[in-house]
Amino acid sequence: MRTPVFAANWKMHKSGLDAVAWVREFEALTKDLGAEAVDVIVAPPFTAIAAAVEASHGSGIAIAGQNLHFERQGAFTGEVSAEMLKAAGAEFVIIGHSERRQLFGETDDSVQRKVTAAHAAGLIPIVCVGETLDERERGDTLTVLDRQVRAGLDGCTGDRIAALILAYEPVWAIGTGKNATAAEAGEAHTHLRRRLREWFGGVHADRCRIVYGGSVKPDNIQQLIGLEDVDGGLVGGASLNADSFVSIVQKATAQQAR
Ligand code: 13P
């Protein structure tokens, strides 16, 4: 059994003070719930990581970076290394988000180097893959996913595949309010699991958590989490408010308990 995991990607939103307030609200909303079998990760902007780490002690929330540079240190103005994230208290890091790929020139090759750097520093990568609308309409979705996974995870051992999180985020569903249907998400997730099995072995592939991202909301999570190969969500807009993020997590765990 894979433990479901929900990650809040705050993108370029929230200060350290906002992060503390969000964590407090999350704790208040979940305090009567008993220990749910679900992992929760929050990815604040770099400047709010230390405050989020401090505030989330004892809350069950783990903190992630949203990006990193693959070099350990050096003359790379504006960049942050895996070691720096780790030292700030992050345990996870998002790599290859489509906004990084589309707006900041991230490539499959840089994703692979970042995954290697994250592992070397003891961070667990959350590796994002997903097709654009054009690619989907051309019928290239599965080919694009194959390329992104094969290149991005090249060199990973089976144990590392088992521990990392793979996020299927169709680009056309991000921030658009238009989530993938159960059929679309199901096809992509099942395909990704099949490829992980082929390339890294069944035991490791079956432990890897594959989460869906793209307009996840309280009112659509249940149709997605009910799918066999969907192990959670990577939530953007609906995670900015602790209330709606908690509602997503609660609806998902209620659905899984059925
Ligand atoms: P939205 O939930 O705002 O569509 O963003 C998804 C996303 O990019 C998470 O990484």
Side-chain angles (χ1 to χ4, degrees):
M1 262 297 272
R2 295 179 291 269
T3 305
V5 55
F6 284 86
N9 177 9
W10 288 349
K11 308 190 179 183
M12 199 169 75
H13 296 279
K14 296 192 190 292
S15 65
L17 284 177
D18 296 332
V20 174
W22 190 100
V23 171
R24 294 286 164 266
E25 198 185 339
F26 176 92
E27 287 178 317
L29 290 166
T30 53
K31 76 174 179 340
D32 297 328
L33 287 180
E36 294 287 350
V38 57
D39 291 336
V40 172
I41 301 170
V42 171
F46 291 139
T47 49
I49 285 182
V53 167
E54 165 110 29
S56 61
H57 277 312
S59 70
I61 297 172
I63 302 301
Q66 296 179 11
N67 180 34
L68 55 76
H69 193 281
F70 46 74
E71 294 291 348
R72 295 188 60 221
Q73 57 184 25
F76 303 104
T77 301
E79 295 293 325
V80 169
S81 73
E83 279 86 352
M84 291 169 185
L85 288 174
K86 181 80 179 170
E91 295 172 64
F92 294 83
V93 60
I94 297 172
I95 297 175
H97 191 280
S98 68
E99 286 149 19
R100 302 288 328 162
R101 293 181 192 257
Q102 298 210 306
L103 304 174
F104 301 100
E106 190 93 78
T107 62
D108 291 332
D109 178 58
S110 63
V111 169
Q112 192 274 336
R113 296 174 78 174
K114 290 180 180 196
V115 169
T116 304
H119 280 139
L123 291 171
I124 299 176
I126 302 170
V127 180
C128 302
V129 297
E131 81 287 359
T132 63
L133 186 58
D134 257 16
E135 289 163 340
R136 172 161 286 272
E137 285 175 347
R138 284 203 305 269
D140 289 344
T141 297
L142 302 184
T143 315
V144 169
L145 297 182
D146 282 355
R147 193 202 72 227
Q148 291 176 335
V149 171
R150 178 135 230 170
L153 301 184
D154 187 33
C156 285
T157 60
D159 285 339
R160 285 188 160 157
I161 294 298
L164 63 72
I165 296 170
L166 189 58
Y168 170 59
E169 296 208 309
V171 179
W172 48 270
I174 295 178
T176 59
K178 187 173 182 289
N179 61 290
T181 62
E184 289 163 339
E187 181 194 31
H189 281 242
T190 300
H191 179 80
L192 288 168
R193 179 96 52 209
R194 188 181 315 127
R195 285 297 193 238
L196 292 180
R197 285 201 183 109
E198 279 170 35
W199 294 334
F200 300 99
V203 174
H204 303 300
D206 287 349
R207 283 171 53 206
C208 177
R209 290 177 293 183
I210 308 179
V211 301
Y212 170 81
S215 298
V216 171
K217 303 268 182 321
D219 63 8
N220 62 25
I221 188 59
Q222 282 179 310
Q223 73 188 77
L224 296 162
I225 200 73
L227 302 168
E228 189 183 332
D229 287 303
V230 176
D231 303 313
L234 181 52
V235 188
S239 76
L240 294 176
N241 178 318
D243 199 30
S244 66
F245 183 71
V246 167
S247 169
I248 289 168
V249 175
Q250 286 175 340
K251 288 190 172 198
T253 44
Q255 168 78 18
Q256 289 226 315
R258 291 213 310 217

